[in-house]
Structure formats: C-alpha cells, structure tokens
C-alpha cells in the first residue's frame, strides 16, 4: 500500500474526537492505533536550535552570500543528521518537521529578521534555501530525513505590528516577487510544508487567505501540510480582529488550506467542536487537514520501524569534528570583501609585529534567537591569537568603564557577590566591585556589566530588583537593556527595558530596584563617573600598533531582531565615533563588520583602506576570518542585498511595492553604497569567449550560456560569475536587470575554467495582469555576465518568440486591482476574502490602465464602487478633456453605478481613473 493509501486507511479508523486532537501542532497520543504524541515544529535556521549543543553555522544572510549551492547541500546534510540524532535521543516525539528556512524577501535592510533571510532576490534565495531544503529532506523518492517548512507565507517583512499589519501588494509584485521564492522551493526543491505569516495581505490575514489553497497547494503543488505561526490562530481574533470568535478562524483557516494550528491545543480543539456544531466545517474538512500532516509523518518513517532504523543517527554525530570543519568552511565562503584599496589585504605578516584588535565585536561571538547552543565559540580576537601567536596582540572593546553613584546617599553602586549579586548603593570608594562596563548599543539602549563578576545587570520581575546576574544580553525580553538619560542637573535617570524606573530602596538597605513611576526624587537619580574613556583607550592601543583590526557591528538581540525593526541603517554613534577616532591616529585599519544586516557606511568606504563583512558567523567565525585576513583563503562572498547610502534612499518599511518604490537592485535607480552581488577577491579574473547556443528561442527551450574565466592574478581563489537578464523593449515596466543564474568556481592562479549556465526561457516570465497568468513576453532580451549586478564583463542579445501582451478589452469586466500603474492607493478585500478592491488614499490618487482597445463606441461606464459623496475623474490619453462624475453616498455598501458617456471614444487609449479620498473601486466595464 502506498503512503496515500496508508493515510486514508488510518484516518478511516479514527473517531471524530481523535481526529480533532490531531489539528494542533502538538498532536495527541492515540494509543489504540499506536499513534504517539508528536510535535510538528522545531528550528533549524543555521543549525538545530533549542535542543542542546549543536553545530552552529553562519546566519542565513551570511550563507546566502556564499552563492554556493553545494555548500548549502553539505550544511543540510549535517543539520539533518543532528536533527535525526536529537529525534531518537528525545524519544521520537518530534523535531523532524522543521520550521526553516526563512525565505521572506529581504527587500528592506531595516527589517528586524534580516539575519534569517536569504537576501533580496527571489532566484538567489530559492536556489540557496532550496539546496538546503533538498539536502535536509534527503534523496529518497518516498521517505524523508526531515520535512522542511519554509516561512513565512507571505510578505512578512516588517516586525512592528506584524500581528495586525496588512501589506498592500498588487498582482505583479505578488507573483513576480513575494510568491516566486515559495513557488520555486515547492516546485523545484519539493519543500514539504510551509508556515503562514502573522500579517495580512490586502486585508486578509495569511492564516485564512484562500491563496494558500488555490496557489500553494493547487498551483504550486505543495505535497505536505501548512502550519500556522505560533499563536497566530488566536491573534486573528485578538490582534487582527477579523472575527469575534476563534471557531470562525478555525473554519475559515481549514477552508483556506491550513492543516495544523500552532496554538494552545485546548483552544484549537474547542474551536473545532464549535465550528462543527455551527455547521461551518464538516468532518471531511478535518480529514483533509489531518491527512496532510499524517502523510508527512508517514514519510518521516514514524509508522514504519524499518524506515526509522534506516535514518537512525547516533548521538555521537552531534557536534562531530567534521561538522565543525564544515562550519569553518561555511564562514570562509560567506565573508564578503567590500573594499581592498591598493591590495591592503591580505596582511603581510613579515611587516607587522604589533596588532591592535579593537571594538565591540572583537571578542564576541553572539547568539541570535534561532541559534543552536554553541559547543564552543571562537571570537575574532581568539582567531587572530590562534594564527599569530608569535606577534604582540593588544585588545580593547572600546567601551567606557564607569562608576555609578546614588544622588540620594552619595554612595556608589556595588556588586557584593562574586557570582549573581544584588546591586547596593553602599560604597564610598571605587574598586573593581564598583566598576561597570558602560555598553552603548546606540539609539538610547545601554547595558552595564560588572567588572567584578563579568555579569550584566538585569531585571528580576519577581522582586522588582536589579541584579548583576546575566551571562549574556539575551532573551525574548532583553532585560539587560536600559535607557540612561541625563536630567539636566548633572544626574541621570535609569529606565529598565520595559520603561520602569530604577531607584535606591533605603528600607531594604539601599538596594537597587525599579518601579512604575518617576517622581523626581533623589533616590531615583544617579551620578555617572567615567573611570576609563573607551574610545581614548582604544586610540592609545591603536596608535602604537602596526595594524588595527577594528570590529564593529551588532548584537542580534538589540536594535533589530524578531519583533523589532531597525530605526536607521547607520552604525551606532559610539561605533561611528570609534572608527573615525581610531583612523585619525592610525590609518592602517582593517574594518570588520560583523552584523545581521547591511549598514550605511559612506564615511568608512571613503576612508578605510580595507573593509570586510560577515554575518554572525557560527562557532568557527574567528578562525575563518583570521585565515582570510592572513591570505590563507581568498574571500569570494557576494552581497545578497543592496547596501544603501541612507534610509532616505528607500521608502518606508511598510511600503511593499518594490516596482514603484524602486526597491532592490532590480528597480533601484540611484547609486548604491555597494550593489547586489558585490564582493572582491585577492586576485583578478578575466571573463571572455561568451557563447550562446542560439540567438532566437521558443517558449519551451533553454538558453545555454558558456564563457571562460581566467585567474590572471597571483593567488588561487573562488570566483562567483553571475548571469543577469533584462528585457529591452517590454510593454510594461521591467527590472533594470534580474539574476537568472550563478555558480561558484575555484580557479587556481594562471588557470582558466569554462563556465556553463542554463536558463529556461520560462524563467523570463512576468505576471500579465490583463490575462491574470504568467507570460513570457515576446521581444529582445540582453544577457549580462559579471562579477556583480554592476560589474558586467560580457553581454549579448537574444530574441524570444514569446507572447505579446494583449490590449485590454474595455467591454469586459476589469478588476480595479489589475491596474498597470497606480499612485497613493491601498488595497482591501471583501468579506468573502476573494475580491480585492482599490482604496483611494487621497485626492491625488489614481489607477492607470494602459491599452484599452475601443473597437466600438461606448455609451456608458458601469463601476462597482463604495463611496461617500466623492468625485470620479476619467482621463483618456487621446481625448483632451476630463470626464467628471459625482458619486453617491453608498453608505459603505457596494453598488453598481452607471455613468453615461457623451464622447466618441474609439481606438486604443490609456485610462486614468482618479478619485477623491475614501473612494473604493472593485471593477469597471464599458458598455
């Protein structure tokens, strides 16, 4: 019996009560049928997370910069082994249906979860994430090592109000950009599951969006199941407020294609019973959902002991030495050399004796929220020491050291114990116990670390006290963060992470506590005395060194993370000042940026001779970066996101229109700081001998491209050739250029390699809003080969015998949503969750429909609108007059309104529909 037959047979034996217990992602045990308790879920963004020690690889934004599919396959093999090992260690209760990778598009560098994504390009993201998915799931045509769950479907790219926000996305943005990465990982790489996003799209929360069933399952062909994000089921009522009752959410979600709910199991089960009782769902709806999740469990071998044994991995494979070596290789391949003026790098070891390693990231190797538990960590400082043990290496973290005195009793705050300690204002002198590192994260956020016990101050809610207790600045609620603000009288107030106020409690022996209100009392005020100025000390260290390795960047839990977008894309002020001051005293600086996201570093680009970027690079980060600095490996990573000069060059983060918003390298029309695909090496390459298999192509054919790359420099190195395409005579706005192929190849110095890349003509599609389908447009295209999106080395032209974009028939009903262009409009969807309409946001709003072919004279215009006494203005491109119509107050109801036309309208016209603020249009038709 095949898998489908086995699932059908098992479901037929379940009672209705048992079936309902399988709707939550924490699926209940059903002993009589030998169905064990099972958890759908687990994290594996860059290694197995939250289960114990596991191999930690660079963050996905870093891995995507490797442009190396083979590397991703190797990483997938390692992570799947460790996931399987933990599955058996933990009694086979889950951990195989993994919620990764994050394939949301990184269209805005302010996004808090940029670290999790695979960049701004859907082709690159799908290829890199797809290789990981494919390897994680294995090569068996029936059974799976793990079942991967790409997330978050879809348009999930801002953290603020994500549980209630609705993204406005028109059809072309939707199908060409936001859905494309999901299409590719499902169709090509056979991702088994997906997770829906918290947000809504065009007014429909993703959890109940019919597109899940109609597109993901029916069009893309998802084989497995669809799960909701954590607590999103209940948030549809509490945050989106789409429904008043949870049973309504459950009913609409099941109908939309959801199979498993990540929420309180009791709430899900109770809601299912209520939905059944009210006739909103049937038992057949439940059967369909649980069949999809059970099918994945069957394919994982859960109900077949022989298959389970086949995939067995012993616990000794976790953190295996070979896995660690792969983490090292992954970091080597992920690092991007942004600038290397006059071949400043690699370091000439024989010309340096003293090296200064400086900065907030110099001796840190941070966890992010989805990191595994590191078996060990190698910082930049430690990596350099490991490789240059015979050199003098100096270090400073650049932070001030301070003492803090209570304005109430004039006593210094003191750490009493050597380990976890309350803070007491009791000292009249400054020793190590009264000394704190004053860590300035930027944008008002500070942390304090006791020098005596090396622990961070943190808030204990149970006692309302502040302790020196934390090993790291870390947590879903980062309680080690404080705002320390001057009051103007020489004193400071200290606010906790959640806006409460620190004070000295005299009744409890002058212990440091916090409370809800600020009353301007002496016990609430503090005096901060600097013991050591961190930047000054760093400059002293730098000034006397032959070379400075300056390490800046971010802590993944501060100023940009899940649930928090960045305010700006510049370096924190402290780090900006540090870079400038260190460079002033010693210009021999290598700037290392270790971060979860791009930065706007215009001054640094203009002044610093060598700049490298790495994501938070896993357990072997320090060793790998040291080897790159020393020339033991030539960097060849490429940026998977555009680095902009300023946030003023990009629209607000909540604007999801990349076409009109001119986002990403595909549509950006200004000069970037560093372009998509950029990355240097320690050698030089020559591209030559471009050959195409033809100059004319039909729809079902492939464009076969070959060219040669020669390493003309003096060092062995990888190179990353990239193939871009652009349409030259399109009828609609198309990308400036668009990535359609890439590879990574090792070329020894003095040698050359023939590169072959194939592009299916079908990859040149657009979404035709007129016919509401994918279309490969007839016309001329340019093939561009280069080392980045701006560094083009070779080019040629081809002609594709595709389809023409047809003129519109104005006598057919035209959805307002299917416009060719627009300005200042938003979208919502009717209560049936199927009809999306256009809302005019201001009196200057419009929607544009090109190429309406009037083959006979229209006498009237019929529109379905909702309005409050506003005006509609029509402008035809070949008629020199406006058509202005008053609209009635429809009382927020949808009405078909007929407008008589007294003008002879013939031929092909572009039509502008303008309206006043608040006007809503669903469709129109000429008669």
């Amino acid at each position: 019996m095949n898998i489908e037959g086995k699932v059908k047979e098992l479901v037929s034996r379940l009672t209705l009560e048992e079936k309902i217990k399988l709707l939550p992602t924490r699926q209940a045990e059903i002993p009589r049928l030998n169905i064990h308790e099972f958890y759908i879920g687990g994290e594996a963004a860059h290694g197995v997370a939250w289960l114990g020690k596991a191999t930690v690889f660079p963050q996905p934004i870093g891995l995507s910069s490797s442009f190396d599919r083979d590397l991703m396959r190797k990483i997938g093999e390692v992570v799947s082994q460790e996931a399987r090992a933990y599955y058996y260690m933990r009694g086979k209760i889950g951990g195989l249906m993994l919620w990764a990778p994050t394939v949301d598009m990184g269209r805005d560098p302010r996004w808090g979860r940029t670290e999790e994504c695979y960049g701004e390009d859907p082709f690159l993201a799908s290829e890199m994430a797809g290789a990981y998915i494919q390897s994680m799931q294995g090569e068996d045509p029936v059974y799976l090592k793990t079942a991967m769950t790409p997330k978050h479907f879809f348009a999930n790219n801002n953290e603020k109000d994500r549980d209630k926000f609705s993204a406005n996305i028109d059809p072309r943005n939707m199908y060409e950009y936001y859905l494309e990465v999901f299409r590719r990982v499902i169709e090509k790489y056979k991702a088994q599951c997906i997770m829906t996003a918290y947000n809504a799209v065009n007014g429909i929360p993703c959890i109940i969006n019919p597109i899940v069933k109609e597109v993901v399952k029916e069009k893309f062909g998802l084989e497995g199941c669809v799960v909701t994000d954590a607590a999103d089921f209940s948030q549809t009522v509490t945050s989106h407020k789409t429904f008043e009752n949870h049973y309504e959410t459950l009913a609409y979600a099941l109908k939309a294609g959801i199979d498993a709910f990540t929420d309180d199991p009791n709430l899900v089960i109770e809601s299912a019973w209520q939905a059944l009782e009210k006739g909103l769902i049937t038992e057949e709806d439940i059967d369909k959902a649980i069949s999809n999740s059970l099918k994945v469990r069957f394919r994982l071998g859960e109900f077949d002991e022989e298959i389970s044994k086949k995939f067995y991995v012993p616990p000794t494979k976790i953190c295996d030495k070979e896995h660690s070596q792969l983490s090292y290789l992954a970091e080597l391949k992920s690092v991007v050399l942004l600038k290397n003026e006059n071949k400043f790098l690699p370091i000439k070891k024989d010309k340096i004796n003293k090296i200064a390693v400086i900065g907030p990231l110099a001796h840190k190797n941070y966890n992010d929220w989805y990191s595994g538990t590191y078996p060990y960590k190698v910082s930049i400082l430690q990596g350099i020491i490991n490789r240059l043990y015979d050199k003098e290496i100096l270090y400073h973290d650049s932070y001030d050291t301070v003492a803090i005195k209570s304005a109430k009793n004039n006593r210094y705050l003191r750490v009493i114990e050597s380990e976890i300690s309350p803070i007491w204002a009791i000292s009249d002198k400054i020793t190590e116990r009264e000394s704190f590192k004053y860590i300035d994260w930027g944008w008002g956020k500070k942390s304090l670390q006791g020098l005596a016990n090396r622990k961070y101050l943190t808030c204990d809610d149970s006692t309302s006290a502040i302790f020196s207790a934390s090993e790291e600045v870390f947590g879903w609620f980062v309680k080690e963060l404080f705002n320390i603000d001057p009051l103007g009288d020489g004193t400071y107030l200290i606010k906790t992470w959640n806006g409460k106020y620190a004070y000295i409690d005299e009744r409890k022996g002058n212990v440091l506590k916090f409370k809800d209100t600020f009353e301007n009392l002496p016990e609430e005020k503090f005096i901060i005395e600097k013991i050591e100025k961190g930047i000054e000390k760093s400059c002293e260290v730098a000034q006397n060194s032959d070379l400075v390795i300056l390490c800046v960047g971010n802590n993944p839990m501060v100023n940009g993370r899940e649930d928090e977008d960045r305010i700006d894309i510049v370096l924190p002020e402290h780090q900006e000042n540090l870079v400038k001051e260190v460079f002033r005293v010693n210009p021999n600086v290598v700037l290392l940026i270790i971060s979860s996201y791009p930065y706007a570093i215009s001054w640094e680009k203009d002044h610093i001779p060598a700049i490298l970027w790495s994501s938070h690079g896993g357990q072997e980060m320090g060793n790998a970066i040291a080897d790159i600095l020393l020339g033991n490996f030539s960097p060849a990573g490429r940026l998977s996101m555009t680095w902009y000069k300023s946030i003023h060059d990009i629209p607000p983060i909540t604007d999801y229109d990349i076409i009109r918003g001119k986002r990403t390298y595909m549509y950006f029309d200004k000069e970037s700081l560093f372009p998509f695909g950029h990355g240097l090496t320690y050698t030089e390459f020559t591209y030559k001998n471009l050959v195409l298999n033809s100059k004319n192509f039909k729809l079902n054919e492939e464009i076969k491209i070959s060219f040669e790359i020669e390493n003309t420099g003096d060092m062995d190195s990888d190179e990353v050739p990239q193939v871009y395409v652009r349409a030259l005579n399109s009828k609609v706005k198309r990308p400036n250029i668009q990535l359609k192929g890439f590879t990574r190849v090792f070329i020894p110095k003095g040698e050359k390699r023939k590169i072959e890349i194939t592009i299916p003509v079908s990859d040149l599609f657009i979404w035709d809003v007129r016919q509401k389908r994918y279309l490969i447009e007839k016309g001329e295209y340019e093939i561009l080969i280069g080392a980045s999106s701006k560094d083009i080395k070779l080019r040629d032209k081809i002609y594709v015998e595709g389809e023409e974009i047809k003129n519109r028939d104005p006598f057919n009903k035209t959805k307002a949503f299917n416009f060719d262009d627009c300005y200042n409009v938003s979208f919502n969807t009717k209560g049936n969750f199927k009809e999306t309409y256009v809302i005019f946001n201001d009196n200057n709003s419009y929607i544009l429909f090109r190429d309406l072919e009037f083959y006979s004279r229209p006498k009237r215009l019929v529109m379905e609108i909702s309005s409050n006494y506003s005006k509609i203005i029509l402008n035809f491109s070949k008629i020199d007059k406006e058509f202005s119509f008053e609209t009635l107050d429809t009382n927020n109801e949808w009405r078909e309104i007929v407008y008589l036309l007294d003008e002879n309208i013939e031929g092909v016209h572009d039509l502008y529909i303008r309206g006043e603020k608040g006007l809503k249009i669903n469709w129109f038709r000429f008669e």
Side-chain angles (χ1 to χ4, degrees):
M1 189 184 296
N2 62 20
I3 294 292
E4 285 73 16
K6 292 178 180 179
V7 171
K8 186 175 181 179
E9 192 272 337
L10 179 58
V11 170
S12 71
R13 297 168 60 195
L14 291 166
T15 67
L16 178 57
E17 181 179 5
E18 290 167 341
K19 291 174 181 178
I20 289 174
K21 288 182 179 179
L22 297 178
L23 286 174
T25 49
R26 293 193 176 276
Q27 296 187 317
E29 179 184 25
I30 302 173
R32 73 179 186 88
L33 296 177
N34 201 30
I35 298 175
H36 302 291
E37 178 187 4
F38 189 84
Y39 175 56
I40 296 173
E43 300 293 347
H46 50 119
V48 175
W50 305 353
L51 299 181
K53 289 183 179 179
T55 305
V56 179
F57 293 93
Q59 294 174 309
I61 191 62
L63 294 175
S64 69
S65 297
S66 73
F67 278 61
D68 192 330
R69 299 176 183 87
D70 289 338
L71 174 67
M72 295 307 299
R73 293 187 186 99
K74 291 175 183 176
I75 292 171
E77 175 63 29
V78 165
V79 178
S80 66
Q81 285 183 11
E82 297 193 359
R84 273 281 169 178
Y86 269 114
Y87 169 72
Y88 295 110
M89 286 172 60
R90 300 173 70 241
K92 299 195 288 188
I93 61 170
L96 295 182
M97 294 174 71
L98 295 165
W99 294 340
T102 297
V103 295
D104 302 301
M105 290 287 88
R107 62 175 179 103
D108 193 304
R110 290 165 292 193
W111 182 36
R113 299 180 76 168
T114 295
E115 65 196 29
E116 297 178 48
C117 80
Y118 285 78
E120 69 184 27
D121 180 82
F123 180 81
L124 174 68
S126 64
E127 289 295 292
M128 298 297 287
Y132 182 57
I133 290 166
Q134 195 173 53
S135 181
M136 285 287 292
Q137 294 183 166
E139 297 178 355
D140 192 291
V142 178
Y143 293 100
L144 303 163
K145 291 190 296 180
T146 67
M148 301 306 287
T149 309
K151 58 185 183 181
H152 309 82
F153 186 85
F154 67 110
N156 176 76
N157 198 218
N158 61 279
E159 295 303 294
K160 181 176 172 52
D161 296 329
R162 63 181 181 165
D163 59 338
K164 56 182 73 71
F165 174 77
S166 181
N168 291 299
I169 303 180
D170 66 86
R172 283 198 61 201
N173 275 283
M174 187 180 295
Y175 283 94
E176 295 176 21
Y177 191 65
Y178 294 104
L179 296 184
E180 175 61 5
V181 64
F182 286 96
R183 183 187 71 83
R184 290 182 60 85
V185 297
I186 293 169
E187 289 185 357
K188 181 177 180 180
Y189 292 104
K190 305 302 178 186
Q192 286 301 297
C193 310
I194 66 160
M195 174 185 281
T196 53
Y198 284 127
N199 57 281
V201 174
N202 301 336
I204 314 175
C206 291
I207 186 177
I208 58 169
N209 198 320
I211 202 171
V212 173
K213 179 175 180 288
E214 295 168 3
V215 174
V216 173
K217 291 187 171 182
E218 296 175 0
K219 186 173 287 189
F220 297 167
L222 183 77
E223 296 175 352
C225 70
V226 179
V227 303
T228 68
D229 207 341
D232 191 32
F233 170 67
S234 54
Q235 287 174 174
T236 309
V237 171
T238 60
S239 296
H240 282 292
K241 302 188 185 301
T242 307
F243 304 115
E244 294 182 356
N245 302 289
H246 296 298
Y247 64 79
E248 295 174 281
T249 302
L250 185 130
Y252 276 90
L254 282 181
K255 299 287 188 182
I258 300 297
D259 300 307
F261 297 86
T262 312
D263 216 310
D264 175 8
N266 293 328
L267 177 64
V268 174
I269 290 167
E270 178 187 359
S271 299
W273 282 114
Q274 290 175 328
L276 279 166
E277 290 167 4
K278 294 181 181 297
L280 298 177
I281 59 171
T282 64
E283 187 171 351
E284 183 183 1
D285 294 322
I286 296 171
D287 288 353
K288 288 178 181 176
I290 65 171
S291 293
N292 288 327
S293 60
L294 286 171
K295 179 167 62 176
V296 179
R297 290 175 67 174
F298 266 103
R299 294 190 66 188
L300 289 166
E302 190 192 344
F303 302 112
D304 188 325
E305 190 59 33
E306 289 304 310
I307 298 300
S308 184
K309 288 179 181 177
K310 170 185 173 181
F311 288 124
Y312 177 75
V313 177
T316 53
K317 289 298 290 183
I318 298 172
C319 300
D320 183 272
K321 184 178 179 180
E322 290 182 359
H323 298 183
S324 181
Q325 291 171 345
L326 184 61
S327 178
Y328 165 78
L329 178 64
E331 174 63 0
L332 284 176
K333 291 197 166 192
S334 298
V335 173
V336 181
L337 179 60
L338 297 174
K339 180 183 177 183
N340 194 24
E341 189 177 83
N342 298 323
K343 295 189 176 182
F344 192 87
L345 289 176
I347 294 171
K348 287 75 175 174
K349 285 194 295 184
D350 56 337
K351 295 184 178 180
I352 58 168
N353 293 303
K354 186 186 292 187
I355 301 172
V357 184
I358 293 170
L361 276 291
H363 199 30
K364 289 291 183 182
N365 196 336
Y366 284 117
N367 292 49
D368 62 48
W369 185 247
Y370 292 102
S371 292
T373 303
Y374 283 73
Y376 62 89
K377 295 180 178 182
V378 182
S379 68
I380 305 299
L381 175 63
Q382 188 59 55
I384 291 170
I385 292 172
N386 292 344
R387 299 300 190 262
L388 294 175
Y389 49 84
D390 58 341
K391 305 291 183 180
E392 184 179 0
I393 298 171
L394 307 176
Y395 162 69
H396 198 277
D397 62 14
S398 80
Y399 287 128
D400 295 340
T401 302
V402 302
I404 303 174
K405 184 189 294 185
S406 169
K408 173 70 172 178
N409 66 7
N410 211 33
R411 299 281 177 163
Y412 293 102
L413 301 186
R414 185 181 189 193
V415 175
I416 299 295
E417 305 297 337
S418 58
E419 292 298 324
I420 295 175
S421 171
I423 309 298
W424 306 82
I426 58 174
S427 294
D428 58 2
K429 62 180 180 179
I430 300 173
T431 69
E432 187 180 61
R433 290 180 179 271
E434 291 76 29
S435 301
F436 299 90
K437 279 287 180 184
Y438 187 83
I439 299 166
D440 186 347
W441 305 107
W443 294 278
K445 295 177 181 177
K446 312 288 196 305
S447 292
L448 295 164
Q449 182 185 29
L451 291 193
N453 60 3
R454 312 305 300 175
K455 296 190 183 299
Y456 295 91
L457 271 59
T458 190
C459 299
D460 178 52
D461 294 332
S462 64
T463 60
S464 296
I466 296 173
F467 284 82
S468 179
S470 289
E471 296 288 342
E472 297 288 345
V473 178
F474 190 85
W476 183 256
F477 301 111
V478 187
K479 299 182 179 181
E480 296 77 33
L481 294 179
F482 298 88
N483 291 99
I484 303 176
D485 299 322
L487 291 169
D489 59 358
T491 67
Y492 293 78
L493 64 83
I494 300 176
K495 293 172 68 175
T496 66
W497 66 279
N498 57 348
K500 298 182 184 296
Y501 297 87
Y503 73 103
I504 299 302
D505 190 343
E506 292 181 295
R507 295 170 301 173
K508 300 292 184 179
N510 291 311
V511 70
L512 185 63
K513 302 187 76 173
F514 57 86
K515 60 181 182 176
D516 292 335
T517 59
F518 180 72
E519 302 170 74
N520 204 30
L521 301 172
E523 55 265 33
E524 300 166 339
K525 299 180 180 182
F526 300 88
I527 300 164
I528 296 177
E529 298 179 5
K530 286 189 180 181
I531 301 169
E532 180 182 271
K533 295 180 179 179
I535 291 180
E536 285 187 11
K537 185 64 177 179
S538 295
C539 288
E540 290 177 19
V541 171
Q543 191 169 20
N544 298 315
S545 300
D546 301 315
L547 177 71
V548 179
I549 298 171
L550 187 52
C551 307
V552 299
N554 78 304
N555 179 332
M557 301 308 298
V558 184
N559 293 326
R561 47 161 290 188
E562 184 171 359
D563 208 36
E564 179 192 8
D565 296 312
R566 283 201 285 172
I567 296 171
D568 206 335
I569 61 174
V570 295
L571 286 170
E573 183 180 8
H574 169 82
Q575 296 186 26
E576 192 80 46
N577 292 338
L578 171 68
V579 174
K580 291 176 180 178
E581 289 301 309
V582 167
F583 180 78
R584 183 179 58 82
V585 300
N586 188 343
N588 295 315
V589 174
V590 177
L591 182 65
L592 288 179
I593 303 170
I594 312 297
S595 70
S596 307
Y597 36 62
Y599 280 110
I601 51 166
S602 294
W603 187 93
E604 289 77 5
K605 181 184 178 184
D606 290 341
H607 293 84
I608 305 297
I611 306 173
L612 296 104
W613 173 79
S614 168
S615 71
H616 295 276
Q619 60 203 47
E620 281 285 332
M621 179 179 71
N623 286 332
I625 288 179
D627 279 334
I628 288 173
L629 291 172
L630 293 168
N632 299 329
F633 184 88
S634 171
R638 299 294 196 267
L639 294 179
S640 61
M641 292 179 69
T642 302
W643 284 40
Y644 299 102
K645 292 183 176 181
S646 167
I647 58 169
H648 301 298
D649 288 340
I650 51 178
I653 192 172
T654 51
D655 181 350
Y656 275 71
D657 187 341
I658 70 161
I659 300 173
R660 280 158 284 274
K662 300 178 181 179
R663 285 187 187 275
T664 79
Y665 78 98
M666 290 183 283
Y667 293 99
F668 190 60
D669 61 358
K670 299 178 183 177
E671 184 182 357
S672 61
L673 187 69
F674 297 108
F676 175 87
H678 172 74
L680 307 175
T681 70
Y682 288 158
T683 190
E684 293 81 42
F685 294 99
T686 299
Y687 288 60
K688 56 188 176 183
N689 298 333
L690 171 61
V691 177
L692 304 178
N693 61 324
S694 177
K695 288 297 185 74
N696 293 279
F697 294 90
K698 293 182 171 61
L699 293 180
N700 60 349
E701 294 181 337
E702 293 181 327
I703 307 164
K704 296 183 182 296
I705 303 163
S706 70
F707 53 94
E708 292 180 350
I709 302 178
E710 183 177 359
N711 185 339
T712 56
D714 53 7
M715 188 171 179
D716 300 345
S717 180
D718 288 355
E719 175 61 338
V720 181
Q722 302 154 46
V723 179
Y724 296 89
V725 177
R726 83 165 138 228
L728 296 178
N729 51 3
S730 178
K731 204 169 183 178
V732 299
K733 184 176 179 62
R734 300 287 289 268
N736 305 321
I737 57 172
Q738 196 168 10
L739 183 71
K740 292 298 179 183
F742 66 89
T743 190
R744 182 164 179 147
V745 58
F746 175 72
I747 307 177
K749 61 184 179 181
E751 296 188 19
K752 61 184 176 182
R753 293 288 184 269
K754 183 179 181 180
I755 309 299
E756 296 179 329
I757 292 175
T758 298
I759 303 173
V761 171
S762 58
D763 277 2
L764 306 183
F765 75 89
I766 58 170
W767 182 260
D768 183 8
V769 295
R770 304 176 188 187
Q771 300 184 68
K772 292 172 282 190
R773 64 176 177 86
Y774 294 109
L775 178 145
I776 293 89
E777 190 179 9
K778 177 181 181 179
E780 196 173 25
Y781 292 79
E782 188 172 23
I783 307 294
L784 307 99
I785 293 99
S788 82
S789 61
K790 292 293 185 182
D791 186 11
I792 302 302
K793 310 288 189 180
L794 303 168
R795 62 182 74 208
D796 203 346
K797 294 178 182 179
I798 62 171
Y799 188 86
V800 173
E801 296 177 24
E803 300 179 75
E804 289 189 5
I805 298 176
K806 296 179 180 179
N807 290 343
R808 294 178 181 269
D809 184 344
F811 299 101
N812 288 335
K813 185 185 289 186
T814 299
K815 287 285 294 181
F817 185 51
N818 286 322
F819 51 76
D820 289 297
D821 203 355
C822 70
Y823 178 74
N824 203 5
V825 298
S826 56
F827 317 122
N828 206 339
T829 305
K830 288 186 176 183
N832 60 10
F833 303 125
K834 291 183 180 296
E835 294 184 80
T836 301
Y837 56 86
V838 175
I839 305 169
F840 287 57
N841 295 331
D842 212 332
N843 294 338
N844 61 356
S845 302
Y846 67 78
I847 46 180
L848 168 63
F849 301 84
R850 296 191 186 280
D851 307 319
L852 276 74
E853 186 172 350
F854 290 91
Y855 46 82
S856 64
R857 176 181 173 181
K859 297 179 179 179
R860 62 184 65 86
L861 170 65
V862 184
M863 306 182 81
E864 186 180 54
I865 67 171
S866 174
S867 72
N868 296 311
Y869 289 118
S870 59
K871 187 179 291 185
I872 294 177
I873 299 172
L874 307 183
N875 290 97
F876 294 90
S877 57
K878 296 178 181 178
I879 299 176
D880 190 20
K881 69 174 281 189
E882 289 186 345
F883 294 77
S884 180
F885 304 101
E886 300 291 334
T887 66
L888 299 175
D889 183 357
T890 66
N891 196 27
N892 291 320
E893 299 291 331
W894 286 99
R895 299 281 179 83
E896 289 187 22
I897 307 296
V898 178
Y899 300 104
L900 299 179
L901 301 172
D902 57 1
E903 188 80 16
N904 185 19
I905 305 170
E906 290 183 330
V908 178
H909 291 261
D910 296 342
L911 170 64
Y912 284 85
I913 301 178
R914 306 177 189 274
E916 295 181 346
K917 182 177 181 180
L919 174 67
K920 302 169 187 175
I921 303 179
N922 186 20
W923 55 263
F924 67 89
R925 179 182 66 244
F926 289 88
E927 296 180 345

